[in-house]
Amino acid sequence: NEAIKQMADYLTKLCPKGWIFRMSATVYVMLTEDEACYENAATELRETGAFHFEAAGSVLRPPLLICAFPRSELVTESENFTRLVETAFREAKARGIHGLFQIDERTIADSNRYAAVESAMAAALKNDKYEMYFQPIYSLEKERFVSAEALIRLKDARLGDVSAQELISIAETNGTVVQIDRRALRNVCRFIHKNGPLERFGLDMITVNVSTVDLIQDDLYDSIVTIIREEGVSFDSIGLEITESVAATFDDALISRLQAFTQKGIRLLLDDFGAGYSNLYRMASLPLYAVKMDRKMFASYESGTQRAVVFEEMIQMCKRLGFLVIAEGIHRPDQIDTLRELGVDRIQGFHYARPLPSAEFLKLFQ
């Protein structure tokens, strides 16, 4: 209580011609239309670096941030104001800002874009408007396509194509990524049920991505198994792609859950291998069917640096562990012979096929 009182007193002293709103024990918003008041507060923060006060015999230095809005209407429109304050807090946290943060036109544009995409995503979930694209994966041994990765896409009448990176980033932030993952899986199962079995196309499975957030859900196993069963497709026609960035932190309980998938016949693939810093010991304990080498790994190999040795050793290690090796992001024909010599089993990239809408994907195989 003493800390709260000191904080309020300090803010009032900084800007007496303003309004102070306490949003939480540690977050306050101070509004003023008085330019001189604002300048005094900004100068104080620039000179002192950070506010500090004493409480219970200790000196505390909480972060203090002043946000400057270029146009008053941004404050009077409550939806814009709330969104921009949240944006300022995120930026301050990411940059470690203490002091002054200027809300500029780019910040406003980014905030408006975020809100527009978020709205389009919600509408797509409600109306089942997400589209599925499929990128075929080529076997160097069999010299034909043998599987495909399903990729969810969002096309909005006003925004146009929303990139997968932007889509997933916002979905993980607002908590809808689990719903989107489930929708993607169900759509893939319906595609297989309608057009399959996959064997008629020479394919052994279609893989779907499982997000970091999805992996920690208590109902992960039950939800995925239920969807596959409800849509009437075989378990071995589905593969689940998990990212390398979270594989290093898997605990024994999650590994047991993943093993339950493999016992059902659902295959697991480790995606983006080499993009982060995996715990190799933990990775070796995963019940993987295949490892997908991140495109940057092969780019490092081609550069001739010491990382080339790492790429070679990683391939051999995966092979010894019994995992298939898939090279991602392969776009040039001159890369194929090198990958074959290195022991890579399969290729995913523009050289063989780009991600295709479902109709074009079917046409390719028909």
Side-chain angles (χ1 to χ4, degrees):
N1 288 336
E2 178 61 25
I4 291 170
K5 182 178 182 301
Q6 289 189 42
M7 173 68 84
D9 289 345
Y10 179 78
L11 293 175
T12 303
K13 181 181 177 181
L14 266 183
C15 189
K17 297 181 181 180
W19 299 266
I20 299 172
F21 302 91
R22 181 185 172 204
M23 300 177 70
S24 71
T26 58
V27 178
Y28 292 76
V29 171
M30 179 173 63
L31 296 179
T32 181
E33 292 182 296
D34 190 294
E35 189 172 343
C37 185
Y38 160 73
E39 290 294 345
N40 289 336
T43 300
E44 171 76 11
L45 283 179
R46 290 190 190 101
E47 292 177 353
T48 61
F51 168 64
H52 66 275
F53 58 86
E54 295 184 10
S58 300
V59 177
L60 306 179
R61 302 180 184 276
L64 192 59
L65 176 73
I66 285 185
C67 301
F69 290 82
R71 302 196 305 270
S72 61
E73 66 268 18
L74 295 172
V75 177
T76 57
E77 296 172 3
S78 60
E79 183 179 348
N80 279 337
F81 173 68
T82 303
R83 195 165 63 242
L84 286 169
V85 168
E86 291 173 348
T87 300
F89 283 137
R90 283 200 304 270
E91 290 290 329
K93 185 176 180 181
R95 301 185 196 178
I97 294 173
H98 293 247
L100 181 66
F101 181 80
Q102 182 77 37
I103 301 286
D104 55 20
E105 294 298 333
R106 179 170 182 177
T107 305
I108 295 167
D110 290 346
S111 177
N112 290 339
R113 169 73 183 185
Y114 184 99
V117 174
E118 190 175 42
S119 176
M121 289 167 58
L125 267 177
K126 180 180 179 180
N127 302 313
D128 195 15
K129 293 297 184 181
Y130 281 105
E131 296 183 27
M132 300 308 303
Y133 276 54
F134 301 90
Q135 185 169 26
I137 297 174
Y138 188 86
S139 169
L140 292 177
E141 177 189 2
K142 298 180 180 180
E143 297 187 340
R144 61 177 176 83
F145 294 121
V146 292
S147 64
E149 178 183 359
L151 303 163
I152 196 162
R153 293 288 186 264
L154 174 60
K155 293 183 178 182
D156 182 75
R158 186 164 59 91
L159 299 174
D161 293 346
V162 177
S163 73
Q165 184 177 5
E166 184 178 26
L167 177 69
I168 297 303
S169 175
I170 294 176
E172 289 183 342
T173 299
N174 67 17
T176 59
V177 69
V178 174
Q179 295 171 271
I180 292 173
D181 280 353
R182 299 290 191 269
R183 181 62 54 82
L185 174 61
R186 191 173 291 279
N187 287 348
V188 168
C189 289
R190 288 175 178 175
F191 174 84
I192 295 172
H193 182 80
K194 178 181 178 181
N195 301 289
L198 293 177
E199 290 79 4
R200 79 181 265 217
F201 305 120
L203 303 179
D204 55 20
M205 66 174 171
I206 293 178
T207 65
V208 295
N209 291 280
V210 181
S211 70
T212 304
V213 177
D214 206 354
L215 283 170
I216 62 175
Q217 302 301 309
D218 291 336
D219 66 344
L220 172 70
Y221 175 82
D222 290 338
S223 294
I224 289 177
V225 167
T226 298
I227 290 172
I228 296 172
R229 185 178 289 124
E230 285 177 349
E231 298 302 332
V233 301
S234 62
F235 290 109
D236 61 4
S237 64
I238 297 295
L240 303 178
E241 296 198 16
I242 57 179
T243 60
E244 181 219 24
S245 60
V246 294
T249 60
F250 282 176
D251 57 22
D252 292 338
L254 182 52
I255 290 177
S256 296
R257 205 178 303 163
L258 294 177
Q259 288 172 337
F261 281 123
T262 63
Q263 291 168 2
K264 276 286 186 186
I266 301 170
R267 283 168 275 195
L268 301 177
L269 296 84
L270 187 65
D271 195 17
D272 297 330
F273 184 70
Y277 301 92
S278 264
N279 179 328
L280 298 179
Y281 177 80
R282 179 62 75 181
M283 188 199 83
S285 65
L286 295 174
L288 298 175
Y289 171 75
V291 172
K292 302 179 76 172
M293 294 286 180
D294 184 74
R295 60 184 178 81
K296 294 179 182 177
M297 289 281 285
F298 186 54
S300 295
Y301 176 86
E302 289 185 302
S303 69
T305 64
Q306 289 180 326
R307 294 180 181 179
V309 178
V310 176
F311 184 66
E312 293 178 358
E313 292 300 320
M314 288 297 183
I315 291 174
Q316 294 308 311
M317 179 193 72
C318 290
K319 303 283 280 189
R320 287 196 295 271
L321 290 170
F323 307 150
L324 287 177
V325 177
I326 303 172
E328 295 184 287
I330 305 304
H331 302 333
R332 305 194 320 266
D334 59 289
Q335 297 172 316
I336 304 303
D337 287 341
T338 301
L339 289 167
R340 194 190 304 271
E341 291 172 4
L342 288 170
V344 169
D345 299 291
R346 297 180 180 182
I347 303 293
Q348 182 174 357
F350 291 174
H351 171 61
Y352 285 112
R354 294 174 177 269
L356 301 169
S358 57
E360 291 184 31
F361 179 75
L362 285 173
K363 184 177 179 182
L364 173 69
F365 287 93
Q366 291 168 343

